[in-house]
Amino acid sequence: MSEQSPPADAPPEYAERVLDVAERIPPGRVMTYGDVAEWLEEGGPRQVGRVMALYGRPIPWWRVVRADGVLLPGHELEALARYRSEGTPLKEASRAAEGHLPRIDMRRARWDGGDHAEGHT
């Protein structure tokens, strides 16, 4: 997630849809950038990532993640604190891992949107 300030005008319609999906992700669960794009049937991981970088700060941005479970560069400690407080499944890093930071356990943490299927567009 970028430290950039969002544009002064309202987010475009696509951005609103991305943010709506991100807000639906339950605590302790995650979706990848690609999952969100697939859910919307529009755009791709890069477009979702751009929306999150520009407009994601007021929503639970830490629940939209990379497919490999690596914590968002530059926001690792904040995200990790949130994952731990929400009980998000993590894989502890080995001592050989750079920075010794855990990754998200994608097999256990990934959410498919099933509990809120009525909101699928």
Side-chain angles (χ1 to χ4, degrees), residues 39 113-121:
W39 179 256
D115 297 337
H116 295 289
E118 71 278 359
H120 186 243
T121 55

Side-chain angles (χ1 to χ4, degrees), residues 24-74:
R24 293 170 184 257
I25 302 168
R29 304 299 298 272
V30 298
M31 288 180 93
T32 68
Y33 298 107
D35 291 341
V36 173
E38 186 177 320
W39 179 256
L40 294 173
E41 298 175 347
E42 184 179 355
R46 289 179 187 222
Q47 290 81 11
V48 171
R50 181 75 175 149
V51 168
M52 295 302 295
L54 291 174
Y55 303 103
R57 184 50 81 181
I59 56 123
W61 54 266
W62 59 93
R63 296 181 192 153
V64 181
V65 301
R66 293 173 35 159
D68 62 5
V70 171
L71 305 186
L72 186 62

Side-chain angles (χ1 to χ4, degrees), residues 84-118:
R84 287 187 169 146
S85 73
E86 292 184 355
T88 305
L90 299 170
K91 288 183 177 182
E92 291 303 321
S94 70
R95 290 185 177 250
E98 187 176 328
H100 305 291
L101 289 172
R103 290 182 180 211
I104 299 164
D105 183 340
M106 295 302 293
R107 186 182 57 77
R108 294 176 42 223
R110 200 172 203 165
W111 185 64
D112 66 4
D115 297 337
H116 295 289
E118 71 278 359

